[in-house]
Amino acid sequence: MNVSAFYRFCSRLSFTILVLISCAISIHAADKVIVLKAARLFDGKSKTLAQNGVVIVQGNKIVDAGNNLPTPTDAQVIDLGDATLSPGFMDGHTHLTLDFSGNYNERRLKEVDLNVSEQAILATRYARATVEAGFTTVRDLGSRFVGSKEFVDVALRNSINKGVIVGPRMLVATYGIGATGGHFDPTSGFRDMLFGHEPDFSQGIADGPDAIRKAVRFEVKNGADVIKAAVSGGVLSLADEVDTPQLTPAEMAALVDESHRLRKKVAVHCHGDQAAKEAIEAGVDSIEHGSFMKPETLTLMKNKGTYLTPTLMATEWIMSKIDNYPPALQAKAKAAAAARSDMFRNAVKMGIKVSFGTDAAVFPHGQNAKEFKVMVDLGMQPIDALKTATGNAADLFGIAQKTGTLEKGKLADVIAMPGDPTADITATERVSFVMKEGKIIRNGPPSAPPVAVSADADPEIPAD
Ligand SMILES: [Zn+2]
């Protein structure tokens, strides 16, 4: 090929590429317009519901949202009738790869009995149940299998993002970071060295500021979107007290500094008051649970702008199934349950920032919305409860630019529930329409059977 022929070839090639690109753009621009209509609309941030709600969707985005908007010509109209449109709910605290909801000892045995791949397959059902319940985004705060170093939460997130399976958008934490013998030590309660070695940073167990930094770096390297750590004891762990501090202020400072340098938010599991105070001072982004926090600690939170993720459903469930837990855990659960109602009432009165979060896995996946009623029963206005799971959660997650409200340009994560949730908050438990990024996941009854959990019967394991 001579030089001028070569240039002719190149110009023809670039013309062809341009035509192909413009075709792709025009196909994208011609995405079908879908108009969602319902009697009411909650936009994720306003103080009241709008009447005659309309959300106009094209591709994966919201083109417009409001009330009484005109319907574009040739649009597909989905009229949901006497319902309320809302941004997809967000749960700031799930464990989609796990299920702790049944008998505690049976669950522990199952965890070491089933191979991790099989547990990952079960997790795909938990993910579907969650998104079909209207939760289009979750922060998944810790996934680990004793004796294993798999990153099942990362695999679940990626498979959802690639459209291989159906589930919510996930921000995953990989292993929760914690101290030797602390709430997150997966070998606590088992015979010493049963698994051949003490867990280390590669399973989230770290002692001292440098080891904490290494654990944060290791988790980000392996796909963590958010960093989770246990700074106090917990209810469902066998070797600690529920409210003792488990990281030192120097360890917390290293945790927050390293995570924030890597632009990751820090969520800390914390029941105890002293640990909460130290964590808030260290600059964590959210306190998860917070059961024993005293008013002066809440004041500190308010001044620092720290979020509370209350996870009230976790204690509700444990208390309703208390016989499922060993006596030592029953005592811890009772103490946490007795303290957390006053803590939450105080937090509401003081105007602490609250992000919705449930600890799903402690109770069966897909029942996340029951948290709303518990919050309202403890003094929160229904409209504010709805905000915790939409605008507030998006703010805490650091994704408010993309989602969390029904506004032009945001991702089309839209759900509908019957009636008026500000008049009956349990409407949130009956979500009937779910759209995620413009794709309809559900319109009417759930498309999958309810997820089987180990609560009372467990079809995954033969009875013999
Ligand atoms: Zn949790």
Side-chain angles (χ1 to χ4, degrees), residues 244-328:
T244 49
Q246 294 190 344
L247 293 189
T248 64
E251 287 171 327
M252 292 189 211
L255 172 82
V256 172
D257 181 60
E258 195 59 42
S259 303
H260 285 176
R261 279 170 181 276
L262 299 177
R263 303 204 178 100
K264 306 299 174 200
K265 302 259 188 165
V266 182
V268 292
H269 159 104
C270 181
H271 288 282
D273 186 63
Q274 184 191 335
K277 224 179 272 173
E278 292 171 357
I280 296 159
E281 295 277 18
V284 302
D285 299 286
S286 64
I287 297 282
E288 310 294 309
H289 320 302
S291 309
F292 299 96
M293 287 196 293
K294 293 181 181 147
E296 66 174 284
T297 308
L298 293 170
T299 304
L300 191 61
M301 265 181 114
K302 171 125 182 155
N303 294 340
K304 281 269 204 177
T306 317
Y307 267 97
L308 169 67
T309 312
T311 71
L312 305 168
M313 260 303 283
T315 16
E316 289 294 297
W317 177 266
I318 295 170
M319 293 306 288
S320 73
K321 307 271 180 191
I322 196 79
D323 291 340
N324 272 341
Y325 303 90

Side-chain angles (χ1 to χ4, degrees), residues 93 95 228 289 359:
H93 191 134
H95 303 278
K228 168 85 178 295
H289 320 302
D359 221 351

